[in-house]
Structure formats: C-alpha cells, structure tokens
Amino acid sequence: MVEEASGAGQFTSVTLRPRVTISGHSDEALALDLHHRAHEMCFIARSMNFPVENEPTITVESATAD
C-alpha cells in the first residue's frame, strides 16, 4: 500500500496465499492447474487496477488402503 502525504492511500498489489487440501487419490498438478485457471477467470481479480498474485499451497492427504 502506498500512502500519500495527504493521508490518502491505495494498494499497489495484492498477494493471495490460499491453502487447499486434496485427497491422496487426487492429482496435485491438476489441482494447481485448476486453481490458476480459476484465477485467470476471476471477475474480482480482473477488476482490480493493480496486480493480484497467487501463491497457492496444495497439501495432499496420505492415501489409505481401501
């Protein structure tokens, strides 16, 4: 955020750090790809006049024998 001498301010960028947990039978690469594709289509992020970055963390639960 940048603050002007007058006290007014504005954001210059935002970094989101979502955390997602997927099952052990899921595809981590696919989950990451879907996250990036959703961000590209996000009307909120696309409406900002500053960059919105994403740094997702995907955790894979251990698969249990069925």
Side-chain angles (χ1 to χ4, degrees), residues 19-23 28 57-61:
R19 296 173 186 251
V20 178
T21 301
I22 60 175
S23 72
E28 184 177 359
T57 299
I58 298 180
T59 302
V60 180
E61 290 181 336

Side-chain angles (χ1 to χ4, degrees), residues 1-64:
M1 184 169 165
V2 173
E3 188 174 332
E4 298 173 4
S6 66
Q10 66 185 37
F11 288 106
T12 57
S13 68
V14 170
T15 301
L16 305 175
R17 293 184 178 90
R19 296 173 186 251
V20 178
T21 301
I22 60 175
S23 72
H25 302 289
S26 298
D27 182 340
E28 184 177 359
L30 176 60
L32 190 58
D33 180 57
L34 291 171
H35 177 83
H36 287 299
R37 288 172 42 198
H39 175 66
E40 289 174 359
M41 299 174 74
C42 177
F43 72 91
I44 296 172
R46 292 173 54 87
S47 299
M48 299 296 149
N49 64 352
F50 51 82
V52 178
E53 302 297 327
N54 280 287
E55 296 176 0
T57 299
I58 298 180
T59 302
V60 180
E61 290 181 336
S62 18
T64 56

